[in-house]
Amino acid sequence: MSPSTSQVPVLSGYPRADGRKGIRNVVAVAYTVECAHHVARLVVNAFAGQPVHLIGFPGCYPNAYADTMMKQLATHPNVGAVLVVSLGCEGFNRNSLHDTVAASGRPVHTITIQQNRGTRTSVSSGVEWVSWALDMLAAQEKVPMGLDELVVATICGGSDSTSGITANPAVGLAFDSLIESGSACIFEETGELVGCEFHMKRRALTPELGDEIVKCVEKAARYYTIMGHGSFAPGNADGGLTTQEEKSLGAYAKSGASPISGIIKPGDRTWGPGLYLLDVVPDGEPRFGFPNISDNAEIVELIACGAHLTLFTTGRGSVVGSAISPVIKVCANPDTYERLAEDMDVNAGRVLTGEATLEQVGQEIVDLVVKVANGEASRSEDLGHQEFILTYKQFEPAGPGCFPLKAA
C-alpha cells in the first residue's frame, strides 16, 4: 500500500517562513474572549464560502494552555493571515498573540472593540482587512510538497461494534503506509485506550517511552474515575459495544502497527516522521469545569500539534468538521453510511458486506488523504463545517523520556 513509488513530491503546498507548508491558505479570525465572539463571527459571516475561519478562546482570565493553543493555531501551516478581535479588558494577552503571528511572517491585524467605537465599526473594519488579506493570499503560489512534510491525525467519535473491525483498522493500515512514506501521524484519546497501555508499551522506541505511555493511560483512568464518567457513552452501548475495554481495543486499532516515536501534549509539534501519541488528559488534580470528552476539542488539539488533516472514524455517525484543517470521515457501519452518505468520505462498512478488504479501504484512505491535501474538499468542508472548541486546561511539559528521537 503506497501513495507513490517515486521520490517526486506528490503534493503542493503554501510555503511558510518556518519551513513548513500548508495544504490550505485560511484567514483565521481569532477572538480573545467570549465578549468579542459575536463581532468576530459577523466578520466571518461576511465571507460565506471563502477560506475565512473562526477560532477563539472564550475565557477572560489567562490560561497557559489556551495561550499556547491560540499561538500554535494562529501560526499553523494552513493559516495564511490572522485577524485578532479583542474586547479590550480581558486577561488574555492579545498583544503577545499579535506579535507571535507577526514574527511568523504572516499578515496580522488586531481590532480592539472598546477602542474601535463598538460592534458596527469593528465589524466594518474587520471585513475590510479580511478582504485585503484574501486578495493578498490569492496571489500566493504553491510549491512542491512531499508526503514527508505532511502531518495526519486520527480520532474516533460515535463508535459502535463495527468501528473496531472496519474503519479503525483501515485507518491503522493507512497510517502505516503514510509513515513508511515519511509522514508524521498522530493518534490520541488516552482515555479511550485504557487496557491497551501495555500493547503500546511494547511498540515504544525505548523502554523509557514505554513507561511514559503506561503513565499517560493510568493518568487518564484516574482522571475519568474521579470525574465520575469515562469515555463509554450510552450511544456506544446502543451501537453494540459492551465494555470500556472492548471500545479501547477498537480505538487502539487506529494506530496501526508502526513503532511509537513519542508522546506529545496539546500544542507540541511532531519532530519528524513516525507515530505519535497525543496526551489530551489534563495534568494535576482533576477540576470540574475542565472538559471531559469532546471530539471537536480534541480535533483542535491535534491541529495545534500541526495536523494538516484529521481522519475521523465513526460507526454511529458524526457530521462535524473543523476550522483550519480538513476532516475526512471514515464510516465503519454500512447502514450508517447509507443514512449519512452526504457527510461521509469513505465507506469502510464495505468490509462487512464483502465488497472490499481492509487493505483496499486503507489504500482508499491514503489516496483520499493525497487528494484532500492537494485541495479537494472533504465532505465536511464542502458542507461548510467549521466547528471549534477551546476551553481551560492545564498541562505540564512532556518529560525527556517522551521524545527519544527529538535530539537526533
Side-chain angles (χ1 to χ4, degrees):
M1 185 190 303
S2 174
S4 175
T5 57
S6 70
Q7 297 302 311
V8 178
V10 297
L11 310 175
S12 61
Y14 299 98
R16 307 302 180 197
D18 64 3
R20 296 185 294 172
K21 295 166 187 170
I23 65 171
R24 297 294 186 268
N25 215 9
V26 168
V27 177
V29 178
Y31 60 90
T32 57
V33 66
E34 183 63 22
C35 307
H37 187 166
H38 180 68
V39 168
R41 184 175 295 281
L42 289 178
V43 173
V44 172
N45 287 348
F47 298 94
Q50 299 184 65
V52 181
H53 292 193
L54 181 67
I55 66 173
F57 176 57
C60 185
Y61 66 85
N63 175 251
Y65 158 80
D67 183 73
T68 296
M69 291 285 290
M70 288 288 283
K71 288 176 178 176
Q72 293 288 35
L73 293 164
T75 58
H76 187 280
N78 288 353
V79 174
V82 179
L83 175 67
V84 179
V85 182
S86 164
L87 177 62
C89 57
E90 66 271 21
F92 188 94
N93 192 333
R94 64 183 180 276
N95 294 324
S96 179
L97 177 61
H98 179 112
D99 292 346
T100 297
V101 178
S104 76
R106 291 167 173 79
V108 59
H109 179 64
T110 296
I111 292 173
T112 304
I113 298 168
Q114 290 171 343
Q115 299 172 10
N116 203 47
R117 302 178 64 84
T119 298
R120 283 194 172 91
T121 304
S122 297
V123 171
S124 177
S125 56
V127 168
E128 181 181 2
W129 190 87
V130 171
S131 296
W132 170 84
L134 285 171
D135 290 341
M136 185 274 302
L137 293 179
Q140 186 176 6
E141 295 184 358
K142 287 185 172 183
V143 298
M145 177 180 177
L147 280 170
D148 59 347
E149 300 176 271
L150 192 66
V151 182
V152 182
T154 189
I155 186 173
C156 55
S159 300
D160 70 6
S161 59
T162 68
S163 297
I165 54 178
T166 61
N168 290 355
V171 166
L173 289 172
F175 260 28
D176 291 339
S177 176
L178 290 165
I179 291 167
E180 185 179 357
S181 298
S183 300
C185 292
I186 310 171
F187 73 112
E188 49 89 63
E189 299 170 297
T190 48
E192 296 189 17
L193 292 169
V194 174
C196 298
E197 55 267 38
F198 291 100
H199 296 294
M200 292 188 286
K201 179 178 181 178
R202 287 193 290 270
R203 294 168 56 192
L205 285 180
T206 66
E208 294 79 12
L209 176 59
D211 291 339
E212 293 294 336
I213 290 172
V214 173
K215 291 177 184 177
C216 278
V217 179
E218 290 176 344
K219 178 184 71 170
R222 288 195 304 273
Y223 183 89
Y224 290 125
T225 298
I226 293 171
M227 296 297 274
H229 48 102
S231 62
F232 194 87
N236 299 140
D238 291 343
L241 290 172
T242 60
T243 63
Q244 173 68 62
E245 289 78 10
E246 184 180 23
K247 185 181 181 186
S248 293
L249 286 169
Y252 173 66
K254 300 197 307 301
S255 67
S258 300
I260 299 175
S261 299
I263 300 171
I264 55 178
K265 296 191 179 185
D268 293 340
R269 295 181 186 175
T270 58
W271 51 86
L275 179 66
Y276 298 85
L277 172 64
L278 174 59
D279 176 13
V280 300
V281 175
D283 291 321
E285 290 301 315
R287 303 181 186 180
F288 288 92
F290 278 7
N292 191 3
I293 298 168
S294 170
D295 293 334
N296 278 102
E298 291 170 358
I299 291 173
V300 169
E301 290 174 326
L302 290 163
I303 296 171
C305 294
H308 289 94
L309 52 83
T310 298
L311 302 173
F312 190 123
T313 66
T314 183
R316 301 272 296 170
S318 173
V319 301
V320 302
S322 177
I324 299 178
S325 293
V327 171
I328 293 174
K329 293 285 178 40
V330 182
C331 187
N333 190 316
D335 294 334
T336 302
Y337 184 87
E338 184 176 349
R339 290 194 305 273
L340 298 174
E342 189 178 55
D343 289 273
M344 300 294 129
D345 296 276
V346 177
N347 180 10
R350 291 179 297 133
V351 174
L352 286 180
T353 61
E355 300 171 80
T357 64
L358 278 174
E359 289 74 17
Q360 288 171 329
V361 175
Q363 183 63 59
E364 182 180 347
I365 294 168
V366 171
D367 293 342
L368 187 56
V369 164
V370 172
K371 290 177 182 177
V372 172
N374 267 329
E376 181 176 309
S378 70
R379 293 293 179 88
S380 61
E381 279 188 293
D382 184 59
L383 290 165
H385 284 280
Q386 294 182 14
E387 285 84 354
F388 184 92
I389 304 172
L390 179 59
T391 56
Y392 288 98
K393 277 189 178 182
Q394 174 182 318
F395 286 94
E396 300 297 330
C402 296
F403 36 85
L405 295 183
K406 190 172 184 178

